[in-house]
Amino acid sequence: MQPYGLTVDKFLDHAAKWFHDRQIVGAEAGKVATRIDYAALRDRSNRMSGALVALGLAKGDRVATLAWNTQHHLELYYAAMGVGLVCHTLNPRLTVAHLGAMINEAEDRVLAIAANLMPFARELARLCPTIEHVVVLGAAADDAAFGQAQVWDYEALLETRGEARVWGEFDENAPAGLCYTSGTTGSPKGVVYTHRSNYLHTLRALQADAVALTERDVLLLAVPMFHANGWGLPFAAPAAGAKLVLPGRAVDGASLARLMCDERVTIAVGVQAVWLGLVDHLGATGTDLPDLQRVLIGGSSCPDALLRRLEQGLGAEVQTSWGMTELSPIGTIAPPGSVGEGRGAGRPPMGLDLKLTDADGNTLASQCGVLGHLKVKGHSVLDAYFRADSDALDAEGYFDTGDLATIDEAGNLTIGGRAKDLIKSGGEWINPTEIEAIIGTHPAVRHVAVIARADAKWGERPVLIVETEDGDSQALLELLRGKVADWWIPDQVVEIDAMPLAASGKIDKARLRADFAAGALAAA
């Protein structure tokens, strides 16, 4: 057989040749700001590769991006990766201190940043001595001093330094991307994706029982591109030849409704909080989305009542999924056409294996219908964290996700919460996820979380934190009676206006615990 390196630049090459006139649409506040086809985007991205090389970058060097879902950001994905550079995506919602620590650990040499995030750049250039160049996306750069860093306007850099380069002249196991975990349960850790892992992950995503994109689809990417490769969809869309719609920073209901209607979106991907806002807008305005067929959600688990509300409000099938930054990130997904309760987070597509163990790491004799510690193995699963001294695998090569889970007879995975989130009260364990699942059946509940508080007598006691529509949070406790042990029922209820979410869509329990301990959350 021919040697054929599994490098991600081949996805854009394929789209430019065979789907050259399919479009990539960029928007600002729901209005189209850019429109380009795959052939033209491939040309621009390839010339930007030459510009990055002209700045002195070599294979393995890291290019940081601090940007939204835009055409420029997509071009930089391929510009960096195509010539063997590493695209290090950064979360704009983090503090300067956190971003600086990540940049310094990664030793990024270039920072590409959205124009409306420029205040970050000035501070980061001061904190991060490895940054040699700042590339401004979306607006002309000013001449302000940035310490040792030279400032470039993206379009000017492309015009003056851009030059066509040959893509893919490196081993398929070379690093392609770097992304840090969300840090909702601990300190963020770096995850390095290789070209091979991203390529095979893309083939997994395109399976008929997974994301199942085709060239007939119009895909709205509402999940941030700075989070775990945008769920791998910046690769999957050109691989399938699908039209790609990038909403920029605005993912409010009104902006998305206008954009999805105008561009006739058929598949939309993002966390459930985004779609809840869209449902609210559609309900308030009496509008609908006639072209929308499927919505893929991930991040935190979605209560059945909320799932039904989303499907009814959007007029589309909702596919549930589970994944992690360490999994590139798709782990399991409910197949298209599996509407109905009991689907959990779906099944693993080919290329990922699951196993359940006890707390000591011993594989459970039965893998069906029992709660265990979830471990995974596959071609796109982390081996070791960035800069780590050792790998993160067990003796059989499985990665410990830190999640508790069950698997039903049909192979559907249901996440039972984080092992670290278990609450030990009076020497016995309470599983917050079981409480959250019951509370989440109430139609007024938008988000629910259970955390532990210190207790002098029992060690720990559960606290129920909810975001509701009717404000009757105390009545929610009655849902638990007879369904869990009485001593599991939380002693305190806290109602908040908006649940803190990480970029992954997961509820940020670390922040909830910190806010509660600091007295920033008042108990009802």
Side-chain angles (χ1 to χ4, degrees):
M1 293 293 104
Q2 296 180 5
Y4 187 86
L6 306 184
T7 55
V8 300
D9 49 275
K10 290 182 171 66
F11 298 137
L12 193 51
D13 284 346
H14 176 77
K17 182 174 182 178
W18 300 107
F19 306 102
H20 58 89
D21 57 351
R22 292 290 275 170
Q23 295 180 338
I24 302 96
V25 178
E28 294 178 5
K31 297 181 180 179
V32 173
T34 61
R35 192 183 296 273
I36 191 171
D37 60 39
Y38 276 117
L41 186 129
R42 194 269 177 201
D43 175 71
R44 284 173 55 87
S45 189
N46 184 256
R47 288 189 292 115
M48 181 52 75
S49 292
L52 293 174
V53 172
L55 295 182
L57 273 66
K59 290 182 179 69
D61 284 342
R62 286 166 286 280
V63 176
T65 65
L66 194 63
W68 312 104
N69 290 16
T70 64
Q71 177 186 317
H72 280 156
H73 201 179
L74 184 63
E75 288 175 359
L76 278 168
Y77 258 56
Y78 285 96
M81 297 181 194
V83 287
L85 304 174
V86 181
C87 185
H88 176 197
T89 53
L90 294 164
N91 183 348
R93 301 185 181 115
L94 298 179
T95 66
V96 170
H98 281 118
L99 292 170
M102 293 174 184
I103 290 172
N104 287 332
E105 182 174 79
E107 298 180 331
D108 298 322
R109 295 182 61 190
V110 172
L111 172 64
I113 186 167
N116 57 11
L117 294 172
M118 279 299 282
F120 277 100
R122 190 169 284 103
E123 294 186 66
L124 289 173
R126 178 176 55 83
L127 292 173
C128 305
T130 63
I131 295 178
E132 301 168 19
H133 302 275
V134 174
V135 180
V136 184
L137 315 180
D142 58 34
D143 295 325
F146 280 78
Q148 77 287 349
Q150 184 173 358
V151 182
W152 299 86
D153 170 73
Y154 182 95
E155 293 296 336
L157 177 62
L158 182 63
E159 179 67 26
T160 60
R161 299 293 186 97
E163 183 179 354
R165 303 288 300 190
V166 177
W167 277 351
E169 292 188 317
F170 43 82
D171 187 87
E172 64 183 26
N173 292 299
L178 172 63
C179 181
Y180 279 75
T181 59
S182 59
T184 55
T185 58
S187 298
K189 299 176 183 178
V191 178
V192 178
Y193 307 112
T194 66
H195 282 264
R196 180 179 186 274
S197 70
N198 275 335
Y199 197 104
L200 294 176
H201 180 271
T202 302
L203 299 185
R204 288 182 59 234
L206 293 177
Q207 291 178 39
D209 278 346
V211 181
L213 277 178
T214 74
E215 63 92 14
R216 297 175 296 280
D217 284 312
V218 180
L219 172 68
L220 176 84
L221 188 61
V223 65
M225 288 173 60
F226 56 74
H227 178 66
N229 294 333
W231 293 4
L233 295 169
F235 306 128
K243 177 180 174 180
L244 182 60
V245 180
L246 303 171
R249 184 177 186 175
V251 290
D252 60 280
S255 296
L256 288 181
R258 175 191 305 164
L259 185 61
M260 292 170 72
C261 186
D262 290 348
E263 298 302 321
R264 305 190 67 179
V265 167
T266 62
I267 299 176
V269 183
V271 300
Q272 63 195 47
V274 168
W275 309 125
L276 187 58
L278 179 57
V279 166
D280 288 344
H281 173 79
L282 295 176
T285 58
T287 53
D288 60 8
L289 300 168
D291 297 293
L292 187 62
Q293 299 170 12
R294 289 188 285 135
V295 173
L296 174 61
I297 63 173
S300 57
S301 60
C302 187
D304 286 338
L306 181 56
L307 193 58
R308 290 192 296 271
R309 179 182 174 188
L310 290 177
E311 288 183 327
Q312 182 177 2
L314 295 171
E317 176 186 356
V318 175
Q319 282 179 269
T320 52
S321 69
W322 164 81
M324 302 178 69
T325 304
E326 292 91 337
L327 274 60
S328 300
I330 296 174
T332 61
I333 185 170
S338 60
V339 176
E341 294 183 18
R343 72 193 110 171
R347 300 191 295 264
M350 174 62 195
L352 185 78
D353 189 30
L354 315 176
K355 76 171 180 179
L356 300 177
T357 74
D358 63 19
D360 296 321
N362 302 306
T363 302
L364 298 178
S366 173
Q367 294 284 296
C368 180
V370 293
L371 183 68
H373 293 252
L374 178 62
K375 297 188 177 183
V376 297
K377 184 178 185 179
H379 52 60
S380 301
V381 177
L382 173 132
D383 174 50
Y385 287 104
F386 183 58
R387 306 289 198 199
D389 296 327
S390 59
D391 67 33
L393 310 180
D394 69 9
E396 295 181 338
Y398 283 78
F399 171 72
D400 187 351
T401 67
D403 285 321
L404 299 172
T406 59
I407 302 172
D408 69 16
E409 293 182 354
N412 292 305
L413 180 77
T414 297
I415 298 298
R418 300 287 293 173
K420 292 181 179 179
D421 288 340
L422 292 176
I423 298 169
K424 198 165 191 178
S425 184
E428 301 289 340
W429 292 108
I430 296 173
N431 188 345
T433 301
E434 292 187 38
I435 299 173
E436 292 163 357
I438 295 170
I439 298 296
T441 62
H442 195 286
V445 172
R446 298 170 70 96
H447 294 289
V448 55
V450 175
I451 63 171
R453 65 165 177 82
D455 187 270
K457 181 177 181 181
W458 303 108
E460 292 181 327
R461 290 296 298 153
V463 177
L464 175 65
I465 302 175
V466 290
E467 177 189 335
T468 69
E469 294 181 351
D470 62 11
D472 190 13
S473 55
Q474 282 290 326
L476 295 175
L477 296 180
E478 295 302 317
L479 294 175
L480 300 173
R481 301 197 186 280
K483 297 176 183 175
V484 300
D486 286 347
W487 59 275
W488 275 38
I489 296 176
D491 301 322
Q492 292 177 272
V493 180
V494 177
E495 187 174 348
I496 58 179
D497 293 331
M499 191 71 72
L501 303 176
S504 60
K506 298 176 182 176
I507 292 174
D508 193 342
K509 288 194 172 181
R511 178 177 166 188
L512 285 176
R513 283 190 284 264
D515 287 348
F516 185 83
L521 302 179

